[in-house]
């Protein structure tokens, strides 16, 4: 196999100067490659493969994947800062990069040597994309209730079922599919499988028409007696639920960071706008109600950013309460991000409702962050149960 190119973001940041250089490189990418096209991609539902591949050259395809397979080997704390910057360019694309990285991390962490070297150079370079397949039409928040089956047949498994709301559906090169291998074992009866995109029996539903996130495709993933080798099991038999939940801890930090980035962009636009907009003979910036609104928006985002940073540090340190901290960060930051973006729209008045200003797009994109990676109601369940278990 050819030597894997070293991404620009590698190696692990060990100083403030290195971290600042990484964030600056990501900021430049977001502002030059994402922001100028975000409204067009949203309006035309365009999935920017070539732009994502440029991100792969920068190291964005495997931000916290090990370096031997082309990953950047960065920390979760670094990743949170990276996703915030990406979302300032386009929250929808930043969120897809987060999901892609979640898949890459799962293979890097739980995959065999053969699986890592087969799939990760493709994913870290973003010459190929990954999709995470857990949710089903009848099993959303209750992930342990999935019905997709995987039946052993000699040296293969036969997978049958439907996955719902799959980002990258129809575009990905590999699908990490959670399927039930033991009907009577509950969460312990779920196994994770690597399903290549060209596997016979794998097909996709129509492109979903969504409120936001239009630049990334969302489809059903349909498995009709899909046969995969037993060697495609990720981790071990019955490990799927554990793997899925571990991946979601990181995914929750990432999506929280994406909410921060989108909302910060909207807040910055609102600050500029209230200086420029005059009503009743004076700029909006002179109105006390506007000043108070901006103060609350900035305070909420700073508080959310602190929670995200703490959760990322806890995940890096493998702290015993890391899952709870990830849930807290996700719940607070995605609620705050949507609220701030929506308030920025309000401060723009009628102009905020126009597509050309970009505010309404961010509002639409951030709304789904309160639902995916576990709804914010489920985040409260996770937090409350861990508190009560002490």
């Amino acid at each position: 196999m050819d030597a894997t190119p070293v991404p620009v973001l590698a190696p692990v940041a060990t100083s403030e100067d290195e971290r600042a250089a990484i964030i600056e490189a990501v900021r430049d990418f977001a502002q030059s490659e994402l922001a100028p096209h975000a409204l067009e991609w949203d309006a035309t539902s365009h999935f920017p493969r070539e732009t994502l591949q440029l991100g792969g050259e920068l190291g964005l395809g495997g931000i916290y994947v090990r370096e031997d397979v082309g990953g950047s080997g960065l920390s979760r704390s670094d990743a949170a800062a990276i996703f915030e910057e990406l979302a300032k360019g386009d929250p929808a694309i930043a969120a897809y990069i987060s999901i892609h990285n979640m898949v890459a991390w799962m293979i890097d962490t739980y995959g065999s040597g053969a699986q890592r070297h087969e799939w990760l150079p493709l994913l870290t370079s973003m010459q190929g994309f990954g999709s995470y397949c857990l949710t089903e039409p009848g099993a959303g928040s209750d992930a342990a209730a999935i019905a997709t089956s995987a039946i052993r047949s000699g040296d293969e498994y036969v997978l049958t079922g439907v996955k719902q709301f799959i980002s990258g559906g129809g575009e990905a090169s590999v699908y990490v599919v959670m399927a039930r291998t033991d009907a009577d074992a509950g969460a312990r009866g779920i196994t994770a499988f690597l399903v290549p995109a060209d596997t016979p029996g794998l097909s996709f539903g129509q492109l979903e028409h969504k409120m936001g996130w239009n630049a990334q495709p969302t489809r059903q993933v349909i498995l009709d007696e899909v046969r995969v080798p037993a060697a495609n099991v990720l981790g071990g038999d019955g490990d799927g639920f554990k793997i899925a939940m571990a991946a979601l801890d990181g995914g929750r930090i990432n999506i929280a960071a994406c909410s921060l980035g989108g909302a910060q962009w909207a807040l910055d636009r609102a600050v500029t706008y209230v200086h420029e907009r005059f009503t009743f003979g004076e700029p909006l910036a002179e109105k006390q109600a506007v000043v108070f609104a901006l103060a609350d928006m900035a305070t909420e985002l700073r508080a959310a950013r602190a929670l995200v940073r703490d959760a990322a540090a806890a995940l890096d340190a493998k702290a015993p309460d890391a899952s709870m901290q990830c849930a807290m960060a996700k719940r607070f930051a995605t609620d705050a991000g949507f609220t701030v973006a929506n308030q920025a729209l309000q401060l723009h008045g009628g102009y905020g409702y126009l597509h050309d200003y970009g505010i309404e797009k961010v509002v639409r994109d951030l709304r789904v962050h309160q639902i995916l990676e576990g709804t914010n109601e489920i985040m409260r369940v996770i937090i409350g149960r861990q508190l009560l278990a002490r």
Side-chain angles (χ1 to χ4, degrees):
M1 179 177 292
D2 293 337
T4 304
V6 177
V8 176
L9 299 190
V12 174
T14 56
S15 72
E16 287 300 315
D17 287 345
E18 288 171 332
R19 179 182 173 88
I22 288 168
I23 300 307
E24 185 63 29
V26 174
R27 183 180 297 120
D28 288 346
F29 173 79
Q31 295 309 310
S32 63
E33 302 296 339
L34 301 183
H37 311 290
L39 291 178
E40 178 187 355
W41 292 342
D42 175 70
T44 61
S45 297
H46 174 70
F47 183 58
R49 302 166 192 81
E50 296 81 7
T51 302
L52 288 169
Q53 288 164 2
L54 289 176
E57 293 176 9
L58 185 63
L60 296 175
I63 295 170
Y64 35 83
V65 169
R66 284 172 281 177
E67 295 170 77
D68 66 310
V69 285
S72 297
L74 300 178
S75 69
R76 296 291 186 156
S77 297
D78 293 326
I82 286 169
F83 283 113
E84 182 171 352
E85 290 301 326
L86 289 173
K88 292 176 185 176
D90 188 340
I93 297 304
Y96 178 71
I97 295 173
S98 165
I99 293 165
H100 172 90
N101 270 269
M102 185 164 65
V103 170
W105 176 84
M106 293 167 76
I107 298 173
D108 187 42
T109 303
Y110 297 100
S112 65
Q115 289 170 342
R116 291 182 69 247
H117 285 91
E118 177 181 1
W119 290 110
L120 289 176
L122 182 71
L123 297 181
T124 57
S125 66
M126 297 194 90
Q127 294 301 308
F129 306 114
S131 280
Y132 175 80
C133 301
L134 176 64
T135 301
E136 296 183 1
S141 296
D142 187 7
I146 66 172
T148 295
S149 64
I151 300 172
R152 187 70 183 252
S153 176
D155 293 332
E156 296 179 319
Y157 281 88
V158 181
L159 278 62
T160 301
V162 177
K163 297 296 181 178
Q164 185 76 27
F165 305 130
I166 305 305
S167 293
E171 295 287 348
S173 300
V174 62
Y175 298 83
V176 177
V177 177
M178 306 300 161
R180 185 165 295 286
T181 47
D182 187 335
D184 301 317
R188 294 184 179 87
I190 295 170
T191 301
F193 294 88
L194 298 175
V195 181
D198 58 358
T199 306
L202 183 68
S203 63
F204 309 97
Q206 293 182 344
L207 191 68
E208 302 284 5
H209 297 287
K210 308 183 296 289
M211 175 179 174
W213 271 25
N214 292 325
Q216 55 164 290
T218 304
R219 294 182 176 90
Q220 284 188 337
V221 173
I222 303 164
L223 304 108
D224 183 9
E225 296 188 355
V226 169
R227 289 182 172 270
V228 296
N232 283 30
V233 169
L234 186 62
D237 186 63
D239 288 342
F241 187 79
K242 175 187 72 176
I243 292 171
M245 294 302 104
L248 284 174
D249 280 344
R252 287 164 183 160
I253 294 173
N254 293 349
I255 212 65
C258 289
S259 286
L260 289 176
Q264 186 66 57
W265 179 90
L267 173 57
D268 292 345
R269 294 302 180 279
V271 169
T272 299
Y273 182 79
V274 299
H275 280 295
E276 297 171 347
R277 177 68 169 169
F278 280 71
T279 61
F280 302 101
E282 63 180 8
L284 281 176
E286 298 295 326
K287 308 288 187 184
Q288 189 177 67
V290 171
V291 172
F292 283 4
L294 292 171
D296 287 344
M297 293 158 73
T299 302
E300 290 295 300
L301 286 187
R302 180 160 291 229
R305 190 172 290 110
L307 277 172
V308 170
R309 288 173 177 170
D310 283 353
L315 202 58
D316 282 329
K318 297 181 172 56
D321 67 343
S323 291
M324 182 175 73
Q325 289 199 51
C326 292
M328 287 177 168
K330 192 270 180 182
R331 200 289 297 168
F332 191 89
T334 58
D335 282 349
F338 175 75
T339 299
V340 167
N342 195 45
Q343 184 63 51
L345 189 155
Q346 187 73 18
L347 289 173
H348 277 76
Y351 292 105
Y353 206 64
L354 300 181
H355 187 259
D356 288 349
Y357 278 70
I359 302 292
E360 61 85 30
K361 174 195 179 299
V362 171
V363 171
R364 289 186 287 105
D365 285 344
L366 297 194
R367 180 60 182 88
V368 75
H369 293 189
Q370 297 170 290
I371 298 171
L372 56 87
E373 313 292 36
T375 66
N376 284 0
E377 290 75 17
I378 293 298
M379 296 306 98
R380 292 178 172 90
V381 171
I382 292 169
I383 297 162
R385 285 179 176 172
Q386 290 203 26
L387 287 172
L388 292 171
R390 291 179 176 178

